């Protein structure tokens, strides 16, 4: 009979997200993970199989949480205002490297070499593009954004911008610099007056 888990699985994954955000997958040692999560080696392997299994669960949980955060941001205010909020929410910073984006970090580290990681990131990206595109459409209907926009192309551009903003935040860009970049992008979508 298998022994029951002696730790909270969700808390362990949340702690692993911080370790992986700080170090990346490859550089995160088993010792780093054990210390960061506060569990023993047997518990790690018994619960997650191996470091890769833990990483996949961490990425899955990180992406799900990020999508919830983005959905909430996209419901605040007018379409353009909500897009700005969504671009700037949860970017992380260079002062707290454990707040870095696990999704962007995994893309940088693995490129397109890992099908399982690709699948997790592709699903999250597709959902996010659709969410941004829906707000762009709403902005077009409200005559707040240019009626000639391709909402899907604009949604993809906004997801790419958000990824770039996350990298810039991790690289030390200030809040005002990040906000200026987001507002400049929004001006490119705005309806000519």
């Amino acid at each position: 009979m298998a022994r029951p888990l002696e730790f909270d699985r969700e808390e362990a994954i949340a702690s692993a997200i911080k370790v992986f955000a700080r170090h990346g997958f490859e550089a995160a040692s088993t010792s780093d993970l054990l210390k960061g999560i506060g569990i023993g080696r047997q518990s790690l392997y018994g619960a997650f199989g191996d470091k890769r299994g833990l990483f996949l669960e961490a990425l899955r949980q990180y992406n799900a949480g990020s999508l919830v955060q983005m959905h909430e941001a996209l419901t605040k205010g007018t379409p353009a205002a909500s897009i700005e909020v969504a671009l700037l929410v949860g970017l992380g910073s260079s002062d707290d490297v454990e707040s870095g984006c696990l999704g962007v970090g995994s893309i940088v580290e693995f490129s397109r070499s890992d099908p399982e990681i690709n699948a997790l990131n592709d699903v999250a990206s597709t959902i996010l593009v659709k969410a941004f595109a829906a707000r762009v459409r709403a902005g077009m209907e409200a005559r707040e954004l240019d009626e000639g926009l391709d909402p899907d192309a604009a949604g993809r551009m906004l997801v790419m911008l958000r990824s770039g903003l996350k990298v810039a935040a991790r690289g030390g860009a200030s809040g005002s610099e990040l906000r200026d970049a987001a507002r400049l992008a929004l001006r490119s979508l705005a309806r000519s007056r």
Side-chain angles (χ1 to χ4, degrees):
M1 180 158 115
R3 288 178 40 196
L5 291 179
E6 297 176 7
F7 62 90
D8 183 295
R9 186 180 185 87
E10 296 305 308
E11 285 180 22
I13 295 169
S15 296
I17 289 170
K18 292 179 181 179
V19 174
F20 287 126
R22 172 180 286 279
H23 299 286
F25 173 77
E26 195 62 43
S29 69
T30 302
S31 297
D32 293 330
L33 289 164
L34 297 176
K35 182 179 177 187
I37 298 172
I39 63 174
R41 188 175 299 271
Q42 277 306 111
S43 294
L44 173 78
Y45 291 117
F48 304 105
D50 58 12
K51 180 172 110 170
R52 177 179 162 69
L54 175 58
F55 183 78
L56 291 171
E57 287 205 39
L59 182 59
R60 190 175 294 112
Q61 182 169 305
Y62 177 86
N63 285 349
S66 183
L67 288 170
V68 166
Q69 188 179 45
M70 294 297 295
H71 173 74
E72 290 172 0
L74 285 168
T75 62
K76 296 182 182 314
T78 67
S82 69
I83 290 169
E84 180 179 338
V85 170
L87 286 172
L88 297 171
V89 70
L91 294 180
S93 75
S94 60
D95 296 330
D96 179 11
V97 294
E98 291 181 347
S99 68
C101 179
L102 199 57
V104 171
S106 68
I107 292 167
V108 170
E109 186 168 356
F110 290 95
S111 186
R112 297 294 293 176
S113 68
D114 188 300
E116 287 179 281
I117 291 171
N118 294 346
L120 291 173
N121 286 329
D122 290 349
V123 166
S125 179
T126 298
I127 291 168
L128 193 50
V129 167
K130 286 180 181 178
F132 272 126
R135 290 310 279 163
V136 169
R137 277 188 198 87
M140 292 166 64
E141 290 167 8
R143 299 179 52 88
E144 184 180 26
L145 300 178
D146 185 337
E147 290 92 352
L149 290 171
D150 175 339
D152 295 322
R156 287 189 296 275
M157 184 271 295
L158 291 166
V159 169
M160 289 177 207
L161 173 61
R162 180 160 164 79
S163 296
L165 291 171
K166 286 183 171 198
V167 172
R170 182 103 183 226
S174 70
S176 63
E177 291 169 329
L178 298 166
R179 194 170 27 265
D180 288 348
R183 288 180 177 168
L184 181 61
L186 283 170
R187 279 198 300 272
S188 74
L189 302 177
R191 182 173 179 257
S192 299
R193 305 225 183 246

